[in-house]
Amino acid sequence: MINFISAAKGGVYSFGSHFSLVLLLCCLLSAFAIPVLATDFELVKEKVVAEYLLAEVDDEAIADLLATQKPDGTWPGINYQDVSRTGFEHYYHTGNMVSLAKAYRHPESNFKDNQKVKQAITIGLDHWVQKDYFCDNWWYNQIGTPSNLVAVMLLVGEEMPEKLVEAAQPMIGRAHLNASGARPSGDRIKIAGILAKNLLFLGEKENFEAVLEVIEGEIKFTTGSRGLQRDFSFHHRVDRVNNTNSYGLSYAEAFVEWLVYTTGTQYAFSEDKVKILVDYYLDGISKNLAFGKYLEAGAKNRGIARPGALHALDAKTPRKLVQATDYRKGDLEEIIRIREGGIQNVSLSFAKYFWQTEYFTFQRPNYFTSVRMYSIRNDNMEVPYNSEGLKNHHRGDGTNHLSLTGKEYFDIFPVMDFQKIPGTTILQKEKLPDPDQIQKPGYTDFVGAVTDNLYGSVAFDFISPHDPLKARKSWFFFDNEYVCLGAGIASKGKQPVFTTLNQLLLSGKVHVHENQQTKVLEEGQYAFENIDWLHHDRVGYFPLAPEKVELSFGEVIGNWTTINQQTRAPKEDVAKDVFSLWVNHGENVKEETYAYLVLPNTSLDATKAYTANDQIAILSNTSAIQAVKHKQLSQVQAHFYKAGKLNLGNGIEITMDGPGLLLIHLDGQKIVKMAVSDPSRKLSKMHFQLNNKLDLKADKLQVAWDAEHWISKVTVQLPEGEFAGSSVILGN
């Protein structure tokens, strides 16, 4: 039987048959002054309650809730009739009860132990249990409502009327391990966490321990299914769409929550599980973020349709990890410094390819960029669940966002042209297809990247699932610049094809260098036949081949409701200044190409002084091979879509027996380091030949030197299974 005390009535409700014995024991302990130590179960409960009370209480807001609550326990401004997937404002009702409960318990609130507050919670809860509001969206029934109600129970439940608390239990109980939403993913751990908190409230120790085992057991790799992937990305569904910084973020935060609650108790997580959790937070979540701090547009799905979607994350979670473990403490502390102190002193530099998710990120201290793709292995985009993200059709088509501050795309989405997504090549239709046509499987398998963890390049054999359009797209990333190549671009019809260099919020002046003159442009639309470069917002854009470059910048008016039909979506028009730059390939194109260089974090003067030919040589840009050499770095990045030969310069030739990606570090005529990968994931071995001697040593490398023909015959053992598509690094 559940035990409750009613302070308001000054009485004790039934505690069950053991109450007298418990009371006698308490009296004896008090008489003999024997210290009573909290059990681990009680200690965890205390930590949970303490977590609820960490944030300050807004006493003015509490006073307003008290003043506006109606006699029946409801609040004005909430539509209590709409229980649809796009509505259910009832969540504000239970949220108000949580706010009141925190004020009632918070030691620094003016409303601590205030009987009016307790009465407001009581009538609010009474209204809820009488109506038992049930949403068409399962999330509110199994997560949203139970989460808020269990918070109320832990904070003030022991002072609520017993019958009212018992009446709330079936609603909290919808968060159980066999619930439809308790799939092996972020929602399973959320539901298990709610259940565990309720068991703390109910005092059910054995059941609590069983649920904790389930929570800890969910820290695991589930490649090919929902959950954490071997590359530290996260799949919420079987569509294999990147959910690392949506569902995967809440997945990690839920684990970290319980890691902190259980640290120092008998329920503490094992060291192996803690290491997986830390690695996922650092190598998955943080490398999906711009500067380890800002939610990044390329990694988001329908969430971009919510105002504030690309906000900065705080340091709360990494701080909890540091307090719970010493594992990778230095890396966690750097993320904390960035989150709390800004990105001015970032030392992060990496190239990371999430091969299970077809997503690539590249970080340097002064810029972050990403590429999002899909293949026959992954769908292109999340379904626009609950009428959010209604124009996301092309947001996986080789999307390439660039960030110097983390704020370049903040809330641009109600005014965005969704057929000019940064990095994409798109057929310009009169309108996008219906939202139910957004999610599509990919048509090609040659989609991937090669990295040595510091540098990397990305290849996308792109066939649009929406339009009669195909292209072979590549990105080559270096320290101070990156190069974007397109070849074999073909489409049918009278609609033009655009490749968009960038579309972002307008910031500052726009300069262009054309016919040996630098000009400042006024807001408007422009078409250029042969410019040398264009500079905007500390970024230089350099066409590396003759292109018809078009530009538009100025005010754009839009509305959130065009991409989000939730009742909470703002209804007012939004006006923002937007910069858009693209290459116009024309109509009914065949074998078109593009080539441009992006120079991030550069001043106007530095852009004027930069000469692309001094740094970059395009070795090939065809449907067969796309390759770039960085002269200063002595580095070649090459994409072979089929067998072929490539001249690397300095008399070095490489001949590939089949498709593959290469990243080569040179010292004169000598290869000192390599990385290779097979985007198609069909090969167990990669074979190629060099017209000089290869002296690299590695476990997965075999080199046969043919002195007579002066050829190195090279075989590389490729990763298989859940690591297929990842890179093999050869040399130090």
Side-chain angles (χ1 to χ4, degrees):
M1 192 168 186
I2 305 170
N3 308 330
F4 303 100
I5 299 176
S6 173
K9 295 186 178 181
V12 179
Y13 290 106
S14 173
F15 279 74
S17 60
H18 298 291
F19 171 65
S20 298
L21 180 60
V22 172
L23 183 60
L24 176 60
L25 179 59
C26 290
C27 292
L28 288 171
L29 289 171
S30 176
F32 290 98
I34 299 174
V36 181
L37 299 177
T39 65
D40 284 349
F41 182 81
E42 293 165 337
L43 182 59
V44 171
K45 181 178 178 181
E46 290 173 3
K47 288 184 177 182
V48 172
V49 172
E51 179 77 15
Y52 286 129
L53 300 177
L54 282 178
E56 294 182 2
V57 173
D58 184 343
D59 284 338
E60 289 187 11
I62 298 301
D64 185 63
L65 288 178
L66 294 175
T68 57
Q69 189 181 37
K70 298 178 181 179
D72 65 350
T74 62
W75 278 276
I78 297 176
N79 183 345
Y80 286 90
Q81 285 70 49
D82 184 2
V83 295
S84 68
R85 297 179 66 87
T86 57
F88 208 70
E89 296 175 2
H90 310 68
Y91 189 63
Y92 294 123
H93 181 104
T94 57
N96 289 345
M97 290 194 297
V98 174
S99 298
L100 289 166
K102 289 179 179 179
Y104 186 77
R105 286 291 302 272
H106 202 289
E108 296 180 4
S109 172
N110 293 330
F111 292 96
K112 185 179 187 303
D113 297 329
N114 185 292
Q115 296 305 301
K116 290 183 178 180
V117 171
K118 189 171 75 170
Q119 179 63 17
I121 300 169
T122 302
I123 64 172
L125 181 59
D126 184 65
H127 176 84
W128 192 271
V129 299
Q130 286 187 46
K131 298 295 184 180
D132 190 11
Y133 293 109
F134 200 83
C135 184
D136 293 342
N137 181 352
W138 69 267
W139 185 92
Y140 289 101
N141 307 321
Q142 298 177 22
I143 294 179
T145 296
S147 180
N148 282 344
L149 292 182
V150 83
V152 172
M153 294 299 107
L154 284 165
L155 289 165
V156 298
E158 293 180 353
E159 298 188 30
M160 292 285 103
E162 181 179 7
K163 290 184 179 179
L164 188 58
V165 172
E166 288 180 344
Q169 276 300 309
M171 297 157 206
I172 299 173
R174 288 174 183 144
H176 60 86
L177 295 179
N178 293 319
S180 61
R183 298 161 293 192
S185 63
D187 285 336
R188 181 174 178 81
I189 189 62
K190 285 182 186 176
I191 289 173
I194 296 165
L195 174 57
K197 289 178 181 179
N198 195 40
L199 293 170
L200 285 171
F201 170 68
L202 297 175
E204 297 185 12
K205 183 174 180 291
E206 290 185 4
N207 289 335
F208 170 77
E209 291 172 353
V211 173
L212 271 191
E213 289 183 9
V214 171
I215 291 174
E216 183 178 3
E218 283 294 303
I219 307 176
K220 61 184 179 182
F221 295 106
T222 58
T223 301
S225 183
R226 303 172 186 268
L228 179 59
Q229 308 299 301
R230 276 290 179 181
D231 59 2
F232 292 107
S233 62
F234 187 87
H235 295 166
H236 182 63
R237 301 182 180 88
V238 294
D239 55 17
R240 294 175 57 83
V241 168
N242 187 10
N243 285 123
T244 307
N245 275 351
S246 51
Y247 292 99
L249 181 59
S250 57
Y251 166 92
E253 289 174 342
F255 279 128
V256 173
E257 180 183 26
W258 286 101
L259 172 65
V260 172
Y261 293 155
T262 58
T263 295
T265 74
Q266 68 188 77
Y267 310 118
F269 292 173
S270 69
E271 184 178 354
D272 288 345
K273 298 292 188 178
V274 173
K275 287 182 177 179
I276 292 174
L277 187 55
V278 172
D279 286 341
Y280 172 55
Y281 196 83
L282 289 169
D283 297 330
I285 288 171
S286 296
K287 289 185 178 178
N288 270 248
L289 298 168
F291 301 97
K293 179 174 183 176
Y294 293 96
L295 289 165
E296 199 268 319
K300 298 293 286 183
N301 299 301
R302 73 184 193 276
I304 58 101
R306 303 166 191 164
L310 303 185
H311 63 272
L313 297 187
D314 61 30
K316 184 186 300 183
T317 299
R319 277 208 170 279
K320 289 180 178 179
L321 286 170
V322 165
Q323 292 166 5
T325 179
D326 288 331
Y327 179 62
R328 298 186 67 178
K329 186 175 182 179
D331 295 331
L332 288 167
E333 287 176 338
E334 177 161 27
I335 295 297
I336 292 170
R337 286 194 299 272
I338 295 168
R339 303 265 181 94
E340 294 181 342
I343 64 174
Q344 292 78 15
N345 297 312
V346 171
S347 63
L348 300 176
S349 289
F350 61 78
K352 171 73 174 178
Y353 181 54
F354 297 91
W355 66 89
Q356 290 290 344
T357 304
E358 318 289 19
Y359 177 65
F360 176 90
T361 62
F362 188 83
Q363 179 74 63
R364 286 299 182 264
N366 55 15
Y367 76 95
F368 171 93
T369 186
S370 67
V371 179
R372 178 169 180 163
M373 307 171 291
Y374 52 93
S375 67
I376 59 172
R377 301 172 289 268
N378 301 61
D379 286 354
N380 63 332
M381 178 55 58
E382 184 182 60
V383 169
Y385 297 103
N386 306 319
S387 298
E388 294 179 304
L390 301 177
K391 295 183 179 180
N392 281 355
H393 303 71
H394 297 291
R395 289 193 53 247
D397 293 2
T399 308
N400 175 211
H401 290 93
L402 170 64
S403 181
L404 312 185
T405 67
K407 302 174 184 178
E408 285 80 0
Y409 308 97
F410 188 82
D411 282 356
I412 191 176
F413 304 105
V415 300
M416 173 170 269
D417 182 341
F418 282 85
Q419 293 193 100
K420 294 188 183 72
I421 309 296
T424 59
T425 300
I426 298 175
L427 187 72
Q428 301 297 298
K429 301 168 284 297
E430 290 184 7
K431 66 175 184 177
L432 289 167
D434 291 338
D436 63 3
Q437 295 298 307
I438 287 176
Q439 186 173 74
K440 300 285 185 180
Y443 291 151
T444 61
D445 61 18
F446 197 91
V447 179
V450 59
T451 83
D452 61 6
N453 298 324
L454 186 59
Y455 299 96
S457 62
V458 182
F460 190 11
D461 183 12
F462 172 60
I463 298 177
S464 173
H466 291 107
D467 303 313
L469 171 69
K470 63 180 181 179
R472 285 184 168 164
K473 298 169 66 68
S474 291
W475 297 260
F476 305 89
F477 295 91
F478 307 103
D479 290 317
N480 299 315
E481 63 275 282
Y482 60 92
V483 176
C484 308
L485 300 183
I489 303 170
S491 73
K492 297 178 181 178
K494 297 181 179 180
Q495 296 158 320
V497 175
F498 292 174
T499 294
T500 301
L501 282 68
N502 212 344
Q503 181 185 183
L504 72 163
L505 297 175
L506 180 66
S507 178
K509 296 180 179 180
V510 177
H511 293 81
V512 65
H513 190 74
E514 182 183 32
N515 298 324
Q516 298 182 336
Q517 290 185 334
T518 300
K519 296 181 289 186
V520 180
L521 302 179
E522 299 294 330
E523 291 185 3
Q525 296 184 349
Y526 298 86
F528 306 103
E529 291 295 335
N530 192 18
I531 62 170
D532 297 308
W533 52 260
L534 185 145
H535 182 270
H536 166 252
D537 195 20
R538 292 191 293 143
V539 178
Y541 302 91
F542 291 77
L544 300 179
E547 309 277 15
K548 185 178 181 181
V549 176
E550 297 183 356
L551 167 70
S552 174
F553 68 101
E555 185 179 75
V556 179
I557 297 174
N559 197 292
W560 287 101
T561 59
T562 62
I563 55 175
N564 184 344
Q565 292 181 0
Q566 290 274 313
T567 59
R568 301 178 188 86
K571 306 300 188 293
E572 303 80 13
D573 282 347
V574 175
K576 292 182 181 290
D577 292 332
V578 176
F579 169 96
S580 298
L581 181 67
W582 65 93
V583 174
N584 186 340
H585 300 291
E587 305 168 357
N588 199 28
V589 298
K590 296 179 180 179
E591 295 300 320
E592 284 292 311
T593 64
Y594 65 80
Y596 62 89
L597 178 147
V598 180
L599 186 66
N601 197 44
T602 186
S603 66
L604 177 62
D605 288 341
T607 302
K608 291 177 180 179
Y610 184 87
T611 304
N613 290 336
D614 290 344
Q615 306 292 330
I616 298 296
I618 297 176
L619 303 181
S620 178
N621 187 23
T622 69
S623 295
I625 303 173
Q626 292 177 308
V628 169
K629 182 174 184 177
H630 195 288
K631 300 175 184 178
Q632 301 301 317
L633 292 174
S634 297
Q635 184 182 134
V636 173
Q637 300 176 6
H639 302 163
F640 290 81
Y641 293 90
K642 60 182 182 180
K645 180 183 292 185
L646 180 67
N647 187 335
L648 309 185
N650 295 335
I652 306 174
E653 285 186 345
I654 188 167
T655 302
M656 290 283 287
D657 288 3
L661 309 184
L662 304 176
L663 191 159
I664 302 170
H665 294 268
L666 297 165
D667 184 0
Q669 291 187 319
K670 185 177 182 180
I671 294 177
V672 294
K673 184 177 180 180
M674 292 185 69
V676 306
S677 75
D678 169 31
S680 69
R681 310 185 192 187
K682 295 177 179 177
L683 306 176
S684 60
K685 295 180 180 180
M686 182 181 291
H687 302 279
F688 58 88
Q689 298 178 9
L690 288 167
N691 65 340
N692 68 353
K693 197 168 185 179
L694 183 65
D695 293 325
L696 295 180
K697 306 293 183 183
D699 292 340
K700 298 182 179 181
L701 175 67
Q702 292 181 341
V703 181
W705 172 240
D706 183 345
E708 180 180 355
H709 298 94
W710 202 257
I711 290 174
S712 291
K713 297 180 180 180
V714 182
T715 300
V716 181
Q717 185 74 38
L718 294 171
E720 297 183 271
E722 59 190 359
F723 292 95
S726 62
S727 297
V728 178
I729 301 172
L730 309 171
N732 298 320

